[in-house]
Amino acid sequence: MTSLNIIKSINAGLRRSMENDHKVLIMGEDVGKLGGVFRVTDGLQKDFGEDRVIDTPLAESGIIGTAVGLALRGYRPVCEIQFDGFVFPGYDQIVSQVAKMHFRSGGRLRLPIVIRIPYGGGIGAVEHHAESPEAYFVHTPGLKVVSCANPEDAYWMIQQAIESDDPVMFFEPKRRYYEKAEFELDGSPPLPLHTSRVVQQGTDATVVAYGPMVKTCLEAAAAATEDNRSLEVIDLRSLSPLDLDPVYESVRRTGRLVVVHEAQRTLGVGAEVAARVTEECFYSLEAPVVRVTGYDTPYPPARVEDDYLPDLDRVLDGVDRALTY
């Protein structure tokens, strides 16, 4: 067993992918000598060289556009976007080229590109450094979208994303970057990439989350036991495609669902989960699906971000609404 935090887990996963496939490249701003703004790529340029770990100009559109050309030539580029709010200069390349090339070419061309994005709030960052833009990409056909929530998933999911022949948006919960866990580095991935997981079993209500909110929901589940409430917590892991069969199975037993995410509420991932569960589990639901989310405002200044982010109390309030309906 090895104890790693999420940063070192992704680093180890990138290293293993580069060892296994010489076509895997890393590119981004300061990913080489500096090792990335969060040091996720620390030491990789030293060991694999400047031709495989490439420092780029500060131009996200250029990073993604260059990755498109490299992927068409048989490479598997992994692009680092330094912070969530910086992805938008590259948004046109992602939705117009990365997402559509396979369909546009009638299936003849594939773009095995991974775009890593540290996302979400909770670190006291300034404007453009604490956003949750995942729904923009979930809404774009042609892209796969995933988010890890713990070191073991970070290690395996980054390797699975790189092995995918489809473009994958890889969202990393930066507020959880330094949290550690023990797991085996060898062997096989415990789950396929696009699979959700029940991380805690319960009987009274189902709580669904992903990325940074998984830990918050587990803390809420622990607190709920003091009131003799048993919450089942499910980590979606993959946002596109969604694996909702475990959610349906859970809701058919509990009759109640609370969906939690940091991103804005309107037309977010929670809205899609609520709609599908209502369609599939209507006669099992004992209460309307409850969403606990960020607010429909731009992400606020750091001094008030605690008022914006869903916390343990807001999750428990959502559970109360579901259970007392």
Side-chain angles (χ1 to χ4, degrees):
M1 301 286 281
T2 303
S3 179
L4 295 176
N5 61 31
I6 288 181
I7 288 176
K8 292 187 180 299
S9 297
I10 297 173
N11 180 283
L14 291 169
R15 178 178 293 278
R16 177 154 294 189
S17 294
M18 298 185 77
E19 290 170 344
N20 292 339
D21 186 349
H22 71 282
K23 292 291 188 180
V24 176
L25 309 176
I26 293 173
M27 51 196 303
E29 298 153 14
D30 294 324
V31 297
K33 186 176 181 179
L34 182 67
V37 65
F38 289 104
R39 308 298 187 266
V40 172
T41 56
D42 188 37
L44 297 180
Q45 188 183 68
K46 175 178 175 293
D47 294 338
F48 294 96
E50 295 182 0
D51 291 337
R52 295 189 63 192
V53 182
I54 305 163
D55 279 321
T56 67
L58 198 161
E60 285 76 11
S61 180
I63 295 171
I64 305 301
T66 303
V68 170
L70 286 166
L72 289 173
R73 299 295 294 177
Y75 292 93
R76 290 182 178 271
V78 181
C79 304
E80 176 177 297
I81 303 297
Q82 283 195 337
F83 285 90
D84 33 51
F86 299 166
V87 71
F88 297 111
Y91 185 76
D92 176 58
Q93 289 286 352
I94 295 171
V95 301
S96 298
Q97 307 301 334
V98 175
K100 295 177 180 174
M101 190 67 73
H102 183 66
F103 188 84
R104 183 188 302 151
S105 67
R108 291 187 296 275
L109 301 175
R110 308 203 73 136
L111 294 182
I113 299 171
V114 175
I115 301 172
R116 295 182 35 242
I117 304 176
Y119 83 115
I123 65 168
V126 297
E127 188 179 23
H128 305 310
H129 291 68
E131 300 181 14
S132 296
E134 62 271 20
Y136 290 108
F137 303 102
V138 172
H139 191 67
T140 303
L143 298 176
K144 302 291 179 62
V145 183
V146 302
S147 179
C148 56
N150 59 67
E152 184 174 19
D153 272 351
Y155 174 71
W156 289 112
M157 289 173 71
I158 189 65
Q159 294 179 70
Q160 293 168 313
I162 293 170
E163 291 170 358
S164 172
D165 286 332
D166 297 316
V168 179
M169 307 296 297
F170 194 88
F171 283 88
E172 302 167 5
K174 69 170 89 78
R175 68 189 293 191
R176 309 298 185 199
Y177 261 162
Y178 299 99
E179 295 177 3
K180 287 186 175 181
E182 288 190 346
F183 61 96
E184 294 284 356
L185 289 175
D186 297 321
S188 302
L191 289 172
L193 180 59
H194 300 295
T195 305
S196 59
R197 174 172 54 195
V198 177
V199 291
Q200 176 170 308
Q201 294 185 331
T203 57
D204 294 332
T206 304
V207 180
V208 170
Y210 56 88
M213 283 293 106
V214 173
K215 182 178 180 180
T216 303
C217 292
L218 287 171
E219 292 170 346
T225 60
E226 297 176 7
D227 295 324
N228 295 317
R229 289 174 170 177
S230 172
L231 304 184
E232 183 144 299
V233 179
I234 298 178
D235 178 2
L236 287 176
R237 299 173 78 248
S238 177
L239 310 184
S240 181
L242 282 165
D243 173 29
L244 292 182
D245 284 344
V247 179
Y248 300 152
E249 181 183 340
S250 177
V251 171
R252 288 178 182 126
R253 285 188 288 101
T254 66
R256 294 172 171 83
L257 174 64
V258 178
V259 189
V260 183
H261 58 64
E262 286 190 22
Q264 292 86 352
R265 175 187 178 93
T266 299
L267 294 177
V269 172
E272 182 65 22
V273 173
R276 293 199 199 182
V277 168
T278 301
E279 290 171 352
E280 293 293 329
C281 306
F282 182 77
Y283 292 106
S284 300
L285 285 168
E286 301 288 342
V289 177
V290 173
R291 287 173 288 166
V292 179
T293 70
Y295 299 110
D296 289 337
T297 67
Y299 196 86
R303 66 181 181 277
V304 294
E305 69 177 352
D306 287 344
D307 296 324
Y308 173 91
L309 293 168
D311 59 9
L312 183 148
D313 288 337
R314 284 181 59 195
V315 174
L316 290 176
D317 178 69
V319 171
D320 283 344
R321 283 184 280 143
L323 288 171
T324 59
Y325 176 77

